[in-house]
Amino acid sequence: MKIHATLLSEQPRMLELDGRLGWAMCQLAQAGAHGIETVKRPAPRWSAYVHELRSMGIPIETEMVAHGGPYPGRHARYRLACDASITILRGEAA
């Protein structure tokens, strides 16, 4: 997947992302204010995707959320800290 992501902050800027980073950015944008809970939407490397997106200057918040069950603990919820507009480039494999 290849996308154009426009961050709608004080100084709007456009990024071109592909592969899993493009996928992760789409997921974060679609999740909106609720964000993505890693326990509810598992992916192989959410923390790595978030780390890489942050290194590109994309503001992403992390909230640690408690969960119960047979193995209680905490998991991350990630959300974009700015609005973003996503355009999936046509002709690209998803």
Side-chain angles (χ1 to χ4, degrees):
M1 170 184 285
K2 184 177 273 191
I3 68 163
H4 280 154
T6 303
L7 303 180
L8 307 171
S9 53
E10 291 179 17
Q11 294 181 328
R13 63 187 182 108
M14 180 181 274
L15 300 163
E16 186 172 301
L17 302 167
D18 61 3
R20 283 297 205 164
L21 289 180
W23 172 85
M25 185 66 185
C26 281
Q27 298 296 306
L28 288 165
Q30 290 172 355
H34 179 71
I36 299 287
E37 290 188 47
T38 57
V39 74
K40 293 180 181 174
R41 188 172 299 170
R45 301 177 43 160
W46 265 114
S47 60
Y49 306 147
V50 168
H51 177 76
E52 186 67 26
L53 292 169
R54 283 179 176 151
S55 74
M56 296 175 181
I58 298 171
I60 300 172
E61 299 173 343
T62 302
E63 175 186 358
M64 297 308 293
V65 180
H67 64 264
Y71 303 101
R74 298 181 330 151
H75 62 274
R77 176 185 292 154
Y78 299 114
R79 72 177 60 85
L80 287 176
C82 70
D83 291 328
S85 172
I86 304 294
T87 303
I88 298 173
L89 301 177
R90 297 293 172 213
E92 297 292 329

